[in-house]
Amino acid sequence: MRKRQQPEVFRITGARQGLQEDVRGRQRRYVISMLCRTVAVLLAVLLWNVQLPLAVAALVLGAVMPYVAVVFANAGRENAPSLPTTVLDGPPKPELPKPEGAAEGARRSPNVGPDDRS
């Protein structure tokens, strides 16, 4: 008897984000990080003669921000560990009942079918 292969059932919550959406999200994160860098550099220029320690801190932030922006934007396409498994287990398969009068130790040869017996 052949076993029927049932198709796998996938949960939509376990599906990955589309590639286009992923790239768009990375670009958005990078642009936001670069805007923060631009604001930090502008603050450094505006505060240079007014508040020198704050201007230096803003300048250091503006210098470090490109590295942080690239690392932050490239962090993607990993599987989220909190998602459930993607394949649902089907219902348990029922066992066939044992034929009456069959001894436990006696087994039929797998190559002998019901029509091949003599």
Side-chain angles (χ1 to χ4, degrees):
M1 191 160 109
R2 294 183 187 176
K3 291 183 180 180
R4 292 184 184 178
Q5 182 108 13
Q6 294 181 357
E8 291 181 326
V9 178
F10 293 94
R11 290 184 183 185
I12 191 65
T13 56
R16 288 177 110 185
Q17 184 178 358
L19 186 59
Q20 236 178 0
E21 293 174 19
D22 181 58
V23 170
R24 191 177 313 127
R26 289 180 192 211
Q27 289 173 342
R28 188 178 308 124
R29 287 192 300 256
Y30 184 77
V31 167
I32 289 171
S33 299
M34 286 294 102
L35 286 175
C36 291
R37 177 187 185 237
T38 304
V39 168
V41 171
L42 288 176
L43 277 176
V45 169
L46 293 174
L47 296 175
W48 191 260
N49 290 328
V50 179
Q51 191 88 18
L52 187 62
L54 189 60
V56 170
L59 190 63
V60 168
L61 180 67
V64 174
M65 197 60 144
Y67 173 76
V68 173
V70 168
V71 170
F72 186 60
N74 285 334
R77 296 299 286 180
E78 287 97 22
N79 289 334
S82 63
L83 291 177
T85 59
T86 56
V87 179
L88 297 174
D89 292 332
K93 297 178 181 175
E95 293 183 16
L96 294 174
K98 292 184 180 180
E100 292 184 28
E104 287 186 26
R107 291 188 174 174
R108 258 197 301 184
S109 172
N111 294 333
V112 178
D115 298 327
D116 294 340
R117 286 190 228 173
S118 35

